[in-house]
Amino acid sequence: MSSIFTKIINREIPADIIYEDSEMIAFNDIKPQAPVHFLVVPKKEIPTLNDIKEEDGPLIGRMFCVAKNIAKEMGVDSKGYRAVFNCNKDGGQTVFHIHLHIIGGKKLSFNI
Ligand code: AMP
C-alpha cells in the first residue's frame, strides 16, 4: 500500500507543494510546529531510516541540499532552523515514508 506521501506525490491528495524535481518533493507540514515547517520527501518509498541502503547515499544527501535551498528562500537560513528525521515509534514517526522535517522561524525549545 502506498504511503500518504506517495499519494501527495501522485496528486491523489492535495498538499501545499513548494518544490519538486524528478526524485524529490517538498511541501508544508499540515500541522506546523513553527512558522516554517516543511517536509522534504524522496519519491522513492523508503519506510524508515532503518531501510536506507548504501546506494541511497546520494539521494539522502540531496534531501539536505534541497532543504537548505528552500530554507534560504524562506529566509530562515541565517537565523537557523532544525532538521529532523524521526524513526519508528519511539522516534515519533507517524508516516512510514522517510522525510526530513525543516522547522524554523522562531527560537526553538530543546524539545519539539
Ligand atoms: P513524522 O511524525 O516524523 O512521521 O512526521 C509526519 C508529518 O507529516 C507530521 O508532522 C504531519 O503533520 C505531517 N503530515 C501528515 N499528513 C500530511 C499531509 N497530508 N500534508 C502535509 N503534512 C502532513
Side-chain angles (χ1 to χ4, degrees), residues 83-104:
V84 175
F85 279 95
N86 294 325
C87 181
N88 275 339
K89 259 193 192 160
D90 281 2
Q93 187 175 7
T94 58
V95 176
F96 290 86
H97 180 149
I98 61 162
H99 48 281
L100 175 60
H101 292 257
I102 298 293
I103 304 156

Side-chain angles (χ1 to χ4, degrees), residues 5 8 27-31 39 86 92-95 99 101:
F5 290 168
I8 289 173
F27 46 87
N28 284 314
D29 197 291
I30 204 165
K31 270 197 200 164
L39 306 173
N86 294 325
Q93 187 175 7
T94 58
V95 176
H99 48 281
H101 292 257

Side-chain angles (χ1 to χ4, degrees), residues 15-71:
D16 186 10
I17 295 168
I18 51 179
Y19 177 84
E20 185 169 22
D21 64 33
S22 60
E23 58 181 6
M24 212 87 72
I25 195 164
F27 46 87
N28 284 314
D29 197 291
I30 204 165
K31 270 197 200 164
Q33 304 297 312
V36 169
H37 186 177
F38 65 88
L39 306 173
V40 179
V41 183
K43 291 185 174 176
K44 180 176 179 184
E45 278 187 323
I46 303 171
T48 79
L49 284 186
N50 294 332
D51 302 302
I52 287 172
K53 298 190 169 64
E54 282 289 326
E55 71 215 37
D56 296 320
L59 178 67
I60 304 303
R62 273 207 68 235
M63 291 174 74
F64 286 95
C65 290
V66 167
K68 65 103 182 175
N69 288 341
I70 300 170

